[in-house]
Amino acid sequence: MGLSTAAPLWGAPGLLLTIALHLALYLRPAQAWAPVHRDYCVLGAGPAGLQMAYFLQRAGRDYMVFERAPVPGSFFTRYPRHRKLISINKRYTGKTNAEFNLRHDWNSLLSHDPRLLFRHYSDAYYPDANDMVRYLSDFAERLGLHVLYNTTIAHVTVNKDRGAWNGHYFILTDHRGQAYQCSVLLVATGLSVPNQVDFPGSEYVDGYESVSVDPKDFEGQNVLILGRGNSAFETAENIFSVTNFIHMLSRSRVRLSWATHYVGDLRAINNGLLDTYQLKSLDGLLESDLTDLAIVKDHKGKFHITLKLFMEEFFNQSSDAIPLPQDNNDNFAMRVAYDRVIRCLGWKFDFSIFSKSLRLSSGSELSEKYPLVRASYESKGSRGLFILGTASHSVDYRKSAGGFIHGFRYTVRAVHRLLEQRHHGVAWPSTEHPITHLASAIIRRINEASGLYQMFSVLADVVLLKENATTFEYLEEFPMQMLAQLETITGKRARHGLFVINMEYGRNYSGPDKDVFFSDRSVGHMEDAWLSNFLHPVIYYYRHLPTEQEVRFRPAGWPLPRPSALHHVVEDFLTDWTAPVGHILPLRRFLENCLDTDLRSFYAGVPRSERGHLSY
């Protein structure tokens, strides 16, 4: 009976049923491949991506982080090639204030968990990159961040929809074909594509990303390094003790970080080759445009530098027939043959997965390295698309620390605060105080705040004065170049005047050609505070919120438009601006002049004209 009942399944009607079941089973997963919606999508689980994930999670937002590798911080599993980071890990400062200590901790991300400070992961001042990998893994795991590992986003486009927050959704498609849809896209993929220069013979060049890191492979060799940044000097530092010599070639002069005050320029930890060059121990630095040169490989496998125009003139000739510069100039600096040529030209953003409709690049030189973003870190081409971390560095390139963890942990927080106001009606965090507390509030911040200190001339504190200047509202770490849009971005009103508190170096103190060790470089007297060279607080007072045009056409070299009044707090060797006479008194008098009131408690709110016979 059972057999006869089951038999029709294998007949004609049974075959149809089998096909129907087969289609049902295999079509059901197709429904699962419909776009998965998240309010926020974060590309990349490096430091910037994890930092944003932390803020989104604390706010209870719907988000997902996509990471192509099986672990967070995959960049650090391979780079830097020689494993030593140049971000300092200063474990001792003599201070117990956690915010102050972050000024000298360049590796920790921001969180509420004191266990997740990098000082617990390495004792080294310049840590090993493997410690960073371990730290980021713990950061993601302990905080329970939502990261989808082993997921490579292969394509990103936009789909217009009036119901979306920004009038469109971002559509992300992974390597399996699964689609994801989000209202806000936060790109934290870093710079991952090696910069290359296309010239004749470039095929003979070893890239920084693949060259051997074993010094034994370079023993007794003549080595040419193309590049002049930290990766070039890091490579040289690893091998210069075993080579015959190293020549380093770049189109521009070396930029020393202690002269430019830019942490991305050459750091002292990597500059051993400068000693051997200047002390005439065979190594040397040269300047030339790489696009004018060519590399010729001779029959012995040695490499010679010649001019590109020679290669073009003697096209299809054997390498031995191509002229070399020393044929006409026997004092040509690079007349020696090289055993190895290594390319160390830095990195650029990977635009390949992004649809052109997103308009991330304009084709200019800087936008080939970085995406086009506003001072708010939002894409100029697509509302709701934000660039975070290293890839957002175009905002402060060669000016501040926005391309590095100790800088972008604060710019990421600023972006999150912007999003909270824009999409959830949560105003920018602030505190309100009586006007008599104004000087002390500013003094506390300029002596402790890490965001102001690291993101100098980029993020600033803003004091909004209330009616009659009896109280004020204090906002921390606002993007300075967005000052004209402060009310929209923060949800606050700036109707009665405002102060902007910023940190700045002296206007003519930084640059690759500057002597930062000249005598009398420091200013010690408060009347000369405006001549301060080293990093110091500067307070701008505006009677009215500056307009977009005023911000855009501000004086050259100024971070903000000309204010109604300006005050420099004199530089301090200890970066400790608490001297009663040298720091606090001049600041208080400046504030009083701006407000036309006395800020001492027993004069609070009394206009100067009404003090009568009261004495100081």
Side-chain angles (χ1 to χ4, degrees):
M1 176 77 89
L3 287 174
S4 60
T5 304
L9 290 174
W10 304 104
L15 179 61
L16 290 174
L17 179 60
T18 302
I19 293 173
L21 288 170
H22 175 84
L23 290 173
L25 287 171
Y26 283 87
L27 286 177
R28 280 182 62 191
Q31 296 175 358
W33 292 82
V36 176
H37 180 83
R38 291 288 182 270
D39 289 341
Y40 297 92
C41 286
V42 182
L43 291 189
L50 295 182
Q51 185 67 87
M52 178 54 79
Y54 168 77
F55 291 125
L56 291 172
Q57 182 139 318
R58 292 283 285 181
R61 305 305 173 201
D62 176 36
Y63 78 94
M64 179 59 70
V65 181
F66 299 91
E67 171 55 50
R68 63 184 177 182
V71 295
S74 59
F75 180 88
F76 293 100
T77 63
R78 187 174 182 187
Y79 303 109
R81 293 295 313 283
H82 304 93
R83 310 313 291 146
K84 183 174 286 189
L85 300 175
I86 59 174
S87 49
I88 66 173
N89 177 40
K90 190 171 180 61
R91 299 172 64 234
Y92 302 102
T93 66
K95 306 279 188 177
T96 58
N97 183 282
E99 179 70 10
F100 174 87
N101 287 338
L102 280 172
R103 288 184 170 188
H104 309 286
D105 173 355
W106 291 11
N107 299 285
S108 294
L109 296 178
L110 304 178
S111 82
H112 63 281
D113 189 343
R115 296 174 301 172
L116 292 173
L117 291 172
F118 196 85
R119 64 191 308 273
H120 302 308
Y121 288 79
S122 174
D123 294 336
Y125 193 75
Y126 294 108
D128 189 280
N130 293 325
D131 294 326
M132 177 59 73
V133 175
R134 185 164 55 92
Y135 171 75
L136 295 176
S137 294
D138 279 2
F139 190 90
E141 183 177 349
R142 287 185 179 179
L143 297 172
L145 304 182
H146 304 157
V147 183
L148 195 59
Y149 296 108
N150 297 308
T151 302
T152 300
I153 298 301
H155 186 65
V156 180
T157 189
V158 66
N159 183 26
K160 291 185 179 180
D161 190 316
R162 292 183 179 180
W165 289 353
N166 296 296
H168 52 249
Y169 288 112
F170 297 99
I171 307 298
L172 290 63
T173 306
D174 70 15
H175 64 290
R176 305 179 191 90
Q178 173 67 59
Y180 304 87
Q181 172 182 282
C182 59
S183 299
V184 176
L185 177 59
L186 301 148
V187 179
T189 52
L191 305 180
S192 58
V193 178
N195 283 320
Q196 301 192 39
V197 177
D198 185 18
F199 56 83
S202 58
E203 66 272 17
Y204 302 130
V205 173
D206 292 320
Y208 169 81
E209 66 277 7
S210 58
V211 71
S212 171
V213 295
D214 186 351
K216 291 182 179 179
D217 291 339
F218 299 89
E219 288 182 350
Q221 293 188 357
N222 305 342
V223 177
L224 174 64
I225 296 178
L226 306 179
R228 190 61 57 83
N230 279 294
S231 62
F233 277 90
E234 168 204 335
T235 301
E237 195 79 13
N238 183 54
I239 64 175
F240 79 134
S241 64
V242 300
T243 58
N244 294 333
F245 58 79
I246 294 176
H247 289 168
M248 191 173 287
L249 180 65
S250 178
R251 66 180 178 180
S252 59
R253 61 173 294 173
V254 66
R255 297 174 56 93
L256 302 168
S257 62
W258 43 260
T260 63
H261 302 117
Y262 171 60
V263 296
D265 284 334
L266 179 59
R267 305 288 299 287
I269 188 176
N270 287 327
N271 69 12
L273 196 75
L274 296 183
D275 265 9
T276 57
Y277 168 43
Q278 290 296 332
L279 299 178
K280 301 307 296 177
S281 188
L282 299 181
D283 302 319
L285 275 65
L286 298 146
E287 287 80 40
S288 179
D289 192 333
L290 301 182
T291 59
D292 294 334
L293 303 180
I295 297 176
V296 176
K297 185 177 182 180
D298 66 21
H299 65 281
K300 295 181 180 179
K302 303 285 187 177
F303 302 114
H304 301 266
I305 301 301
T306 188
L307 300 179
K308 184 178 180 180
L309 61 89
F310 289 170
M311 293 284 286
E312 294 171 346
E313 185 177 346
F314 289 83
F315 185 68
N316 286 333
Q317 297 289 322
S318 68
S319 59
D320 292 335
I322 296 173
L324 300 176
Q326 56 263 38
D327 296 341
N328 297 317
N329 179 8
D330 60 6
N331 194 35
F332 176 59
M334 303 178 71
R335 59 186 179 273
V336 296
Y338 297 97
D339 299 290
R340 303 286 285 272
V341 182
I342 306 172
R343 167 182 44 76
C344 302
L345 299 174
W347 309 89
K348 61 184 178 182
F349 184 77
D350 184 1
F351 292 93
S352 65
I353 68 170
F354 298 94
S355 167
K356 289 185 178 179
S357 62
L358 296 172
R359 295 177 291 168
L360 278 178
S361 174
S362 69
S364 68
E365 183 175 357
L366 188 60
S367 72
E368 287 181 358
K369 182 178 179 68
Y370 296 108
L372 283 171
V373 296
R374 305 180 190 279
S376 61
Y377 303 94
E378 188 168 19
S379 165
K380 290 184 177 180
S382 300
R383 182 176 170 84
L385 193 162
F386 290 83
I387 307 296
L388 308 177
T390 303
S392 69
H393 196 27
S394 61
V395 172
D396 65 308
Y397 182 58
R398 285 186 169 167
K399 296 177 182 177
S400 198
F404 310 90
I405 291 175
H406 61 291
F408 66 62
R409 61 191 177 195
Y410 302 106
T411 61
V412 169
R413 181 163 65 183
V415 170
H416 177 254
R417 288 170 172 171
L418 180 156
L419 293 170
E420 285 292 292
Q421 163 62 18
R422 179 186 291 184
H423 298 303
H424 309 289
V426 179
W428 196 281
S430 66
T431 54
E432 191 165 332
H433 310 272
I435 201 67
T436 51
H437 293 183
L438 180 55
S440 60
I442 294 174
I443 288 293
R444 181 182 64 82
R445 287 286 295 170
I446 64 177
N447 280 288
E448 296 177 0
S450 178
L452 288 182
Y453 194 82
Q454 299 297 0
M455 289 305 297
F456 56 89
S457 296
V458 178
L459 298 180
D461 286 0
V462 179
V463 171
L464 301 178
L465 299 172
K466 299 301 183 179
E467 190 171 6
N468 299 322
T470 56
T471 60
F472 67 91
E473 198 168 6
Y474 202 106
L475 287 68
E476 299 177 358
E477 297 161 17
F478 183 82
M480 295 175 67
Q481 298 308 307
M482 300 302 293
L483 188 60
Q485 291 86 43
L486 180 138
E487 293 186 337
T488 301
I489 291 174
T490 65
K492 307 292 183 179
R493 295 292 186 183
R495 301 299 169 85
H496 306 287
L498 64 152
F499 292 96
V500 179
I501 298 94
N502 179 37
M503 304 288 279
E504 299 177 14
Y505 280 96
R507 295 264 162 81
N508 297 306
Y509 189 55
S510 303
D513 58 344
K514 300 295 184 182
D515 176 12
V516 294
F517 298 110
F518 67 91
S519 60
D520 300 323
R521 61 187 174 273
S522 62
V523 173
H525 301 290
M526 54 188 178
E527 59 268 21
D528 297 324
W530 65 281
L531 294 172
S532 294
N533 284 311
F534 212 75
L535 194 66
H536 64 284
V538 182
I539 294 91
Y540 295 72
Y541 170 64
Y542 296 95
R543 293 187 178 90
H544 306 285
L545 190 66
T547 66
E548 290 190 38
Q549 188 169 1
E550 287 172 336
V551 173
R552 182 178 180 185
F553 297 105
R554 63 191 182 275
W558 285 59
L560 288 173
R562 289 188 186 277
S564 305
L566 182 69
H567 178 71
H568 289 256
V569 180
V570 68
E571 64 183 332
D572 187 79
F573 183 71
L574 302 175
T575 62
D576 178 9
W577 293 280
T578 58
V581 176
H583 301 133
I584 298 175
L585 181 60
L587 173 62
R588 199 196 78 213
R589 286 178 174 168
F590 166 75
L591 299 175
E592 289 174 340
N593 286 334
C594 293
L595 301 173
D596 189 31
T597 189
D598 199 301
L599 295 181
R600 291 175 292 182
S601 59
F602 53 88
Y603 280 131
V606 180
R608 291 173 183 260
S609 60
E610 298 179 13
R611 293 176 195 159
H613 65 277
L614 296 177
S615 63
Y616 289 92

